[in-house]
Amino acid sequence: AQSVTQPDIHITVSEGASLELRCNYSYGATPYLFWYVQSPGQGLQLLLKYFSGDTLVQGIKGFEAEFKRSQSSFNLRKPSVHWSDAAEYFCAVINNAGNMLTFGGGTRLMVKP
Amino acid sequence: KAGVTQTPRYLIKTRGQQVTLSCSPISGHRSVSWYQQTPGQGLQFLFEYFSETQRNKGNFPGRFSGRQFSNSRSEMNVSTLELGDSALYLCASSLAAVGEKLFFGSGTQLSVL
């Protein structure tokens, strides 16, 4: 069965500092991986996705993620965090028999001024 | 292009009642899936429909059901509500049959008293 682990429940960074959110997955085949962001009381917005090809993928809002098969990881990064980035971030893997996402538990990001 | 629309935005019900939630996908999207989000369990997959057929189903009791209409709009129904059904219910739509990115609505916040 597929699974996703986000080891950090909360992360606090200062505005302007760099950010890395960790994600580890378990999946039998080549995974399709996603990062979503959720603001309070809202739905999920797609930041980026990895299906195949270049292992470093660029997303919206200046985010990027790197797929590392050997480490079963898909970590999200941003070089300089803005206060508006404060939100909850979810890593997810999709099955290959449909569009069923398995989510990690999420990482809540707080940004200090 | 309009996004995924979920109605109603908020619902308050009492135990034992039933509830129906509605989701209108992005125009042209044929896949609709539903997720339950709670603070304790996180984001959990309920079911997915594609061209009016249920393709995937999560580990929820039979009180949770859904359907999809010929125009791709979807409804989910929860019968005999329990306190633990209080959650944010998110609908997502997707263009392709398999492994495509999902677009989420803002959700329906259900409170069971």
Side-chain angles (χ1 to χ4, degrees), chain A residues 43-113:
Chain A
L44 300 166
Q45 181 182 23
L46 178 67
L47 287 175
L48 48 79
K49 61 178 172 67
Y50 171 78
F51 281 2
S52 63
D54 192 350
T55 57
L56 184 63
V57 293
Q58 303 297 319
I60 62 171
K61 303 185 179 185
F63 286 94
E64 66 177 27
E66 186 170 14
F67 171 64
K68 294 184 177 180
R69 184 186 300 276
S70 61
Q71 299 177 19
S72 297
S73 69
F74 187 55
N75 294 349
L76 182 71
R77 301 194 294 248
K78 187 170 185 178
S80 177
V81 170
H82 188 262
W83 65 267
S84 60
D85 293 325
E88 189 152 22
Y89 292 79
F90 293 92
C91 182
V93 64
I94 205 165
N95 70 336
N96 59 7
N99 290 319
M100 184 182 95
L101 283 170
T102 298
F103 286 92
T107 298
R108 184 168 297 279
L109 173 66
M110 297 179 63
V111 180
K112 293 189 300 186

Side-chain angles (χ1 to χ4, degrees), chain B residues 21-38:
Chain B
L21 312 182
S22 179
C23 172
S24 294
I26 292 172
S27 178
H29 285 196
R30 295 163 62 191
S31 167
V32 175
S33 49
W34 290 88
Y35 293 81
Q36 181 196 64
Q37 186 176 25
T38 60

